[in-house]
Amino acid sequence: TESVSDPAETKDPADTSEKETGGEPEVQAPPVGTKVGNTCPAMDITLFKDKGTFNLNDMKGKVVVLNFWYTTCTPCLAELPYFNQVATDYQDDDVVVLALHIDMPNVNVDSWIDKNYPDSDMLFGWDAGNGYTNTFGFQAFPCTVVIDENGVITDKFEGGLTHDELTQAVEKALAAS
């Protein structure tokens, strides 16, 4: 019988060279999940106003703010101007704000957007079947998830945010990238 030796065991001790990798070592992404520090799960989201679809996989290199809301939620409507302002203030910093309306029957969100945010830099999406909402297990609204340019969740909030809290969360995600 012939024995097979491990190539690492037969390495010439005088050879101190390392294998050339061609650049930076590949960093392993955190596991997919819904907690801070996880890679955020990606889903296809239909955007309102016939603006196509949104998927986090297409957002690599950008900080993404997901805001879960609905048109009859008073705290949601109170904080939405802050998200709109952040979308405008950070559009040159590769920050994307997606206001994700939960799935509710008989709600004409397109007309609501036309009336309230006709020229917004913020994207508006429809959480069809409440896929994202259910994935995160949100029970109270509004809710916000902030994701860094690598797709990792840096902050997660249930309840309304102030403009300062939202700005700090965006700055934290930008710094983490």
Side-chain angles (χ1 to χ4, degrees):
T1 50
E2 185 175 308
S3 68
V4 178
S5 62
D6 182 353
E9 292 175 8
T10 59
K11 181 179 175 185
D12 180 354
D15 181 9
T16 59
S17 66
E18 291 293 321
K19 184 178 178 184
E20 188 67 35
T21 60
E24 293 291 318
E26 189 172 321
V27 177
Q28 190 70 9
V32 173
T34 59
K35 295 182 170 121
V36 171
N38 287 151
T39 299
C40 190
M43 295 182 181
D44 285 329
I45 301 295
T46 300
L47 298 176
F48 286 104
K49 310 300 298 166
D50 297 322
K51 292 191 176 183
T53 59
F54 173 96
N55 190 301
L56 280 176
N57 291 331
D58 300 329
M59 296 292 125
K60 296 295 183 199
K62 297 178 186 284
V63 167
V64 176
V65 179
L66 297 176
N67 176 248
F68 295 79
W69 71 291
Y70 56 98
T71 55
T72 57
C73 167
T74 302
C76 299
L77 299 179
E79 73 171 7
L80 210 51
Y82 308 142
F83 289 86
N84 188 54
Q85 188 64 50
V86 164
T88 299
D89 291 347
Y90 288 90
Q91 65 183 341
D92 294 336
D93 294 313
D94 284 331
V95 175
V96 175
V97 177
L98 173 63
L100 190 56
H101 195 282
I102 66 170
D103 197 355
M104 298 178 72
N106 304 317
V107 176
N108 187 336
V109 180
D110 276 337
S111 66
W112 188 91
I113 295 167
D114 285 342
K115 179 180 177 188
N116 295 282
Y117 292 94
D119 299 316
S120 179
D121 292 313
M122 181 169 46
L123 298 174
F124 287 89
W126 184 260
D127 190 14
N130 289 323
Y132 251 162
T133 303
N134 293 336
T135 295
F136 280 97
F138 292 134
Q139 300 296 314
F141 294 91
C143 302
T144 304
V145 178
V146 183
I147 304 152
D148 74 11
E149 69 178 17
N150 298 308
V152 176
I153 299 169
T154 57
D155 274 304
K156 183 176 156 185
F157 304 93
E158 287 196 50
L161 295 174
T162 66
H163 183 265
D164 287 345
E165 290 168 330
L166 178 58
T167 301
Q168 288 172 7
V170 168
E171 290 290 338
K172 177 180 171 184
L174 285 167
S177 301

